[in-house]
Amino acid sequence: LKYSKVSGSNQVIIFSDDFSFSKQKWSLRNEEVAEIIFVVKAGIEEKAASLIENIYKEVSNSRNIAPQQVRVIAITIISIVLNTLSDMGLSYEDIYATTKLPYCQIFELKTLNETREYIKNFMKFTIQSVKGMRAKKAKTIIKDIKDYLKKNLSDYDLALSTISERFYINASYLSRLFKQETGESFIEYLSR
């Protein structure tokens, strides 16, 4: 009965002498933690889904893991994601438009598969929201730069390097961002 919480209902579970619910501790490896942080920061949805699948496949293969431990793993992943958002200067409310933390939902899920799907959807939504916020921020920065250029067009010292310093942005990143947002290079825009 306990194992059905991990494997899901309607499963045949063979109980042998070597199968027991020991107090086995299962935790995320440092590489997995680093990968979770990376996929959230980089905004790679497919990699996030694959990573969660792999983690939960390992959990599923650990036949003597307790159901409580499955919840702890999910809560750990959520904590890593929320800490990553905080490191990026984003608050939980910015992303999820609610003050209700996702931890509560974990305790309502009944099986490993439900938990895995919840975590995958949580990661997907988080990454999509971060990407959307970055795009909005990029548009705002480019708009501010364009306004600055219009106001200071007579300044002979206008250049990508001085603008990047003024707006605290790496010059090569600004160059790519400007081209991406306006469809023309900084120099082309300034010349026009």
Side-chain angles (χ1 to χ4, degrees), residues 35-36 39-40 43-55 119-120 123-124 127:
E35 270 192 272
I36 292 169
V39 297
V40 170
I44 310 171
E45 288 177 54
E46 307 80 34
K47 179 79 173 158
S50 169
L51 177 61
I52 297 302
E53 283 293 332
N54 291 338
I55 289 170
I119 294 297
K120 277 174 52 178
M123 293 277 288
K124 180 180 179 181
I127 289 169

Short mmCIF file of all heavy atoms in Angstrom, two decimals, residues 35-36 39-40 43-55 119-120 123-124 127:
data_model
loop_
_atom_site.label_atom_id
_atom_site.label_comp_id
_atom_site.label_asym_id
_atom_site.label_seq_id
_atom_site.Cartn_x
_atom_site.Cartn_y
_atom_site.Cartn_z
N GLU A 35 22.27 21.80 -12.63
CA GLU A 35 21.51 21.77 -13.89
C GLU A 35 20.16 22.46 -13.76
O GLU A 35 19.74 23.16 -14.67
CB GLU A 35 21.30 20.32 -14.36
CG GLU A 35 22.39 19.82 -15.26
CD GLU A 35 22.01 18.52 -15.93
OE1 GLU A 35 22.27 17.47 -15.32
OE2 GLU A 35 21.45 18.55 -17.04
N ILE A 36 19.49 22.26 -12.64
CA ILE A 36 18.20 22.93 -12.41
C ILE A 36 18.40 24.44 -12.44
O ILE A 36 17.66 25.17 -13.10
CB ILE A 36 17.56 22.48 -11.08
CG1 ILE A 36 17.12 21.02 -11.17
CG2 ILE A 36 16.37 23.37 -10.71
CD1 ILE A 36 16.71 20.40 -9.84
N VAL A 39 19.11 25.54 -16.14
CA VAL A 39 17.98 25.55 -17.08
C VAL A 39 17.00 26.67 -16.77
O VAL A 39 16.40 27.23 -17.69
CB VAL A 39 17.25 24.19 -17.19
CG1 VAL A 39 18.17 23.11 -17.73
CG2 VAL A 39 16.62 23.76 -15.89
N VAL A 40 16.86 27.01 -15.50
CA VAL A 40 15.97 28.13 -15.15
C VAL A 40 16.58 29.45 -15.63
O VAL A 40 15.91 30.25 -16.26
CB VAL A 40 15.68 28.17 -13.63
CG1 VAL A 40 14.95 29.45 -13.25
CG2 VAL A 40 14.85 26.96 -13.22
N GLY A 43 16.74 29.41 -19.47
CA GLY A 43 15.43 29.34 -20.11
C GLY A 43 15.29 28.21 -21.11
O GLY A 43 14.72 28.39 -22.18
N ILE A 44 15.79 27.03 -20.77
CA ILE A 44 15.76 25.89 -21.68
C ILE A 44 14.68 24.91 -21.22
O ILE A 44 14.93 24.03 -20.39
CB ILE A 44 17.13 25.19 -21.76
CG1 ILE A 44 18.24 26.20 -22.01
CG2 ILE A 44 17.12 24.11 -22.83
CD1 ILE A 44 19.63 25.64 -21.88
N GLU A 45 13.47 25.05 -21.78
CA GLU A 45 12.33 24.24 -21.35
C GLU A 45 12.53 22.75 -21.60
O GLU A 45 12.22 21.93 -20.73
CB GLU A 45 11.06 24.67 -22.10
CG GLU A 45 10.50 25.99 -21.66
CD GLU A 45 9.29 26.37 -22.49
OE1 GLU A 45 8.35 25.55 -22.56
OE2 GLU A 45 9.29 27.47 -23.05
N GLU A 46 13.02 22.39 -22.80
CA GLU A 46 13.17 20.98 -23.15
C GLU A 46 14.15 20.29 -22.21
O GLU A 46 13.91 19.17 -21.77
CB GLU A 46 13.67 20.81 -24.60
CG GLU A 46 12.85 21.52 -25.65
CD GLU A 46 13.17 23.02 -25.75
OE1 GLU A 46 14.32 23.43 -25.54
OE2 GLU A 46 12.22 23.78 -26.01
N LYS A 47 15.23 20.97 -21.91
CA LYS A 47 16.25 20.40 -21.01
C LYS A 47 15.67 20.25 -19.60
O LYS A 47 15.96 19.27 -18.92
CB LYS A 47 17.48 21.32 -21.00
CG LYS A 47 18.59 20.86 -20.11
CD LYS A 47 19.39 19.77 -20.72
CE LYS A 47 20.59 19.48 -19.83
NZ LYS A 47 21.13 18.17 -20.05
N ALA A 48 14.84 21.20 -19.19
CA ALA A 48 14.21 21.12 -17.86
C ALA A 48 13.30 19.91 -17.78
O ALA A 48 13.35 19.15 -16.80
CB ALA A 48 13.42 22.40 -17.57
N ALA A 49 12.49 19.69 -18.81
CA ALA A 49 11.58 18.54 -18.83
C ALA A 49 12.37 17.23 -18.79
O ALA A 49 12.03 16.31 -18.04
CB ALA A 49 10.68 18.59 -20.06
N SER A 50 13.43 17.16 -19.57
CA SER A 50 14.28 15.97 -19.61
C SER A 50 14.95 15.73 -18.26
O SER A 50 15.02 14.59 -17.78
CB SER A 50 15.33 16.15 -20.71
OG SER A 50 16.30 15.16 -20.63
N LEU A 51 15.42 16.79 -17.64
CA LEU A 51 16.07 16.69 -16.34
C LEU A 51 15.10 16.15 -15.28
O LEU A 51 15.44 15.23 -14.52
CB LEU A 51 16.60 18.06 -15.92
CG LEU A 51 17.25 18.19 -14.56
CD1 LEU A 51 18.47 17.29 -14.45
CD2 LEU A 51 17.64 19.64 -14.30
N ILE A 52 13.90 16.68 -15.26
CA ILE A 52 12.89 16.22 -14.29
C ILE A 52 12.53 14.76 -14.55
O ILE A 52 12.41 13.96 -13.62
CB ILE A 52 11.63 17.12 -14.32
CG1 ILE A 52 11.99 18.55 -13.91
CG2 ILE A 52 10.53 16.56 -13.44
CD1 ILE A 52 12.62 18.70 -12.55
N GLU A 53 12.38 14.39 -15.82
CA GLU A 53 12.10 12.99 -16.18
C GLU A 53 13.20 12.08 -15.64
O GLU A 53 12.91 11.04 -15.05
CB GLU A 53 11.99 12.82 -17.69
CG GLU A 53 10.69 13.28 -18.29
CD GLU A 53 9.50 12.43 -17.87
OE1 GLU A 53 9.65 11.23 -17.57
OE2 GLU A 53 8.38 12.99 -17.85
N ASN A 54 14.46 12.47 -15.84
CA ASN A 54 15.58 11.65 -15.38
C ASN A 54 15.62 11.52 -13.86
O ASN A 54 15.88 10.45 -13.33
CB ASN A 54 16.91 12.20 -15.90
CG ASN A 54 17.06 12.02 -17.39
OD1 ASN A 54 16.41 11.16 -18.00
ND2 ASN A 54 17.89 12.83 -18.00
N ILE A 55 15.37 12.62 -13.17
CA ILE A 55 15.37 12.59 -11.71
C ILE A 55 14.29 11.64 -11.22
O ILE A 55 14.53 10.77 -10.37
CB ILE A 55 15.17 14.01 -11.12
CG1 ILE A 55 16.42 14.86 -11.34
CG2 ILE A 55 14.83 13.93 -9.63
CD1 ILE A 55 16.25 16.33 -11.01
N ILE A 119 5.78 18.98 -11.13
CA ILE A 119 7.10 19.63 -11.13
C ILE A 119 7.48 20.04 -12.55
O ILE A 119 8.01 21.13 -12.78
CB ILE A 119 8.17 18.73 -10.48
CG1 ILE A 119 7.88 18.52 -9.00
CG2 ILE A 119 9.56 19.30 -10.68
CD1 ILE A 119 7.92 19.79 -8.16
N LYS A 120 7.21 19.18 -13.54
CA LYS A 120 7.51 19.53 -14.93
C LYS A 120 6.72 20.78 -15.35
O LYS A 120 7.28 21.68 -15.97
CB LYS A 120 7.18 18.36 -15.86
CG LYS A 120 8.28 17.34 -15.95
CD LYS A 120 7.92 16.11 -16.73
CE LYS A 120 7.38 16.34 -18.10
NZ LYS A 120 7.09 15.08 -18.82
N MET A 123 8.15 23.89 -13.60
CA MET A 123 9.39 24.34 -14.25
C MET A 123 9.09 25.01 -15.58
O MET A 123 9.64 26.06 -15.89
CB MET A 123 10.33 23.15 -14.48
CG MET A 123 10.87 22.51 -13.22
SD MET A 123 12.30 23.36 -12.56
CE MET A 123 13.54 22.91 -13.75
N LYS A 124 8.21 24.42 -16.38
CA LYS A 124 7.87 24.97 -17.69
C LYS A 124 7.28 26.37 -17.55
O LYS A 124 7.69 27.30 -18.23
CB LYS A 124 6.89 24.04 -18.40
CG LYS A 124 6.48 24.51 -19.77
CD LYS A 124 5.51 23.55 -20.42
CE LYS A 124 5.09 24.06 -21.78
NZ LYS A 124 4.12 23.16 -22.42
N ILE A 127 10.01 28.89 -16.43
CA ILE A 127 10.93 29.24 -17.51
C ILE A 127 10.26 30.14 -18.53
O ILE A 127 10.85 31.13 -18.98
CB ILE A 127 11.51 27.96 -18.16
CG1 ILE A 127 12.48 27.30 -17.17
CG2 ILE A 127 12.21 28.27 -19.47
CD1 ILE A 127 12.93 25.91 -17.56
#
